[in-house]
Amino acid sequence: MNPKAMRDELEARHGPAPTGTTTSAPPPSAMRAGAPAPAPIARSDLYETISGSYFTLRRGLALLALAFPVLLWLVAGPEHLQASISAYYHYHGTGAGPSPFGSGSARDVFVGVLWAIGAFLFFYRGYSRREDIALDIAGLAALLISTFPMDWPDDVGSLRNTIHFTSAVIFFLAVAYVCLFRPGDTLALLRDPVSKRRFKRSYALLGTLMIAVPVSILAVHFLADWLRLIPERSDENRWVFWVEVAGIYVFAA
């Protein structure tokens, strides 16, 4: 049953639902002959359950994003830090030693988490149509990131690489759009002006950071060749990883 059908069914049985009231069973004339009387429905409990599910899913998505880099780091082995988040797709425990969780475990985490995040964003309903479209685009972009992994070794000229990195940029920009341009869809419902200003500033900051992250990643990629000219810089290939981690944590926030 979709939300509208559920609302119509409840209103047909019990009338419009004022907040915090408890309904009683419908009158006998509204029941089918011989059908058992339905149990009373506590409308406030029903709304609390729906709201609780909504916020639990949102918090779960944030926790999943927060755990994403940590899980990749753990399943590949802490001593096998890769050059980027995307590089874990190709890590099979070769070179420095096998992964403690078996070959291909990092790829499983990479694909599984991105599909979980992508599916949630796609099926999650935004408050406005524009927000909903932006979140759908972000969800599809997350799926494309894992469906078209980066080439190994990296070949920036391939079609698959182009789709991979373009999808990553689109993901960040779509979420940034929601943070920067869609807060007014729901902030108008807040009665506390202090909370409204605080949330508006927070979304503006996060939206700006969501744009800054892909720009920083591109800058690091362009600077990578130049940095390799400096012999004492042995950790330049990890810059992309840490910038991507920062972007993922901004998304979680």
Side-chain angles (χ1 to χ4, degrees):
M1 178 180 293
N2 59 51
K4 184 178 183 301
M6 178 184 291
R7 184 199 65 194
D8 293 343
E9 176 70 13
L10 289 173
E11 290 185 352
R13 284 173 174 263
H14 313 294
T19 303
T21 62
T22 303
T23 69
S24 59
S29 59
M31 296 171 52
R32 293 177 299 172
I41 300 175
R43 280 169 283 184
S44 59
D45 292 343
L46 175 63
Y47 298 155
E48 183 179 353
T49 299
I50 295 173
S51 175
S53 299
Y54 170 82
F55 283 106
T56 298
L57 288 172
R58 287 172 63 93
R59 294 186 182 107
L61 178 64
L63 290 175
L64 190 63
L66 288 171
F68 187 28
V70 178
L71 289 174
L72 291 173
W73 180 67
L74 288 176
V75 299
E79 69 278 14
H80 305 148
L81 185 64
Q82 300 298 295
S84 67
I85 295 290
S86 299
Y88 279 95
Y89 179 91
H90 299 280
Y91 181 75
H92 292 287
T94 58
S99 167
F101 292 90
S103 177
S105 55
R107 173 183 292 188
D108 295 339
V109 172
F110 180 84
V111 174
V113 171
L114 283 176
W115 272 79
I117 292 175
F120 176 90
L121 290 174
F122 184 79
F123 291 113
Y124 176 84
R125 183 175 180 179
Y127 191 77
S128 66
R129 178 169 176 79
R130 291 182 178 180
E131 179 185 6
D132 195 42
I133 292 174
L135 293 175
D136 287 349
I137 291 173
L140 290 174
L143 300 182
L144 291 174
I145 292 171
S146 62
T147 304
F148 295 90
M150 64 180 290
D151 289 335
W152 194 262
D154 192 12
D155 177 11
V156 295
S158 72
L159 176 61
R160 187 169 73 170
N161 251 27
T162 300
I163 296 175
H164 177 82
F165 289 112
T166 301
S167 299
V169 172
I170 290 174
F171 172 84
F172 281 104
L173 292 181
V175 177
Y177 167 79
V178 172
C179 291
L180 291 173
F181 298 103
R182 302 270 49 99
D185 297 343
T186 50
L187 289 183
L189 303 176
L190 285 178
R191 297 182 179 179
D192 183 7
V194 176
S195 297
K196 186 182 298 187
R197 287 194 299 269
R198 185 176 68 250
F199 275 110
K200 191 173 183 177
R201 287 195 298 265
S202 298
Y203 276 114
L205 173 62
L206 293 174
T208 302
L209 290 174
M210 289 296 290
I211 294 176
V213 166
V215 172
S216 300
I217 293 174
L218 290 175
V220 171
H221 272 293
F222 281 119
L223 291 173
D225 290 337
W226 178 78
L227 291 171
R228 291 191 184 99
L229 296 176
I230 306 175
E232 61 269 22
R233 293 308 298 260
S234 59
D235 60 341
E236 74 275 4
N237 62 339
R238 296 181 181 178
W239 287 28
V240 173
F241 174 84
W242 293 115
V243 173
E244 289 175 342
V245 169
I248 291 172
Y249 281 5
V250 171
F251 165 73

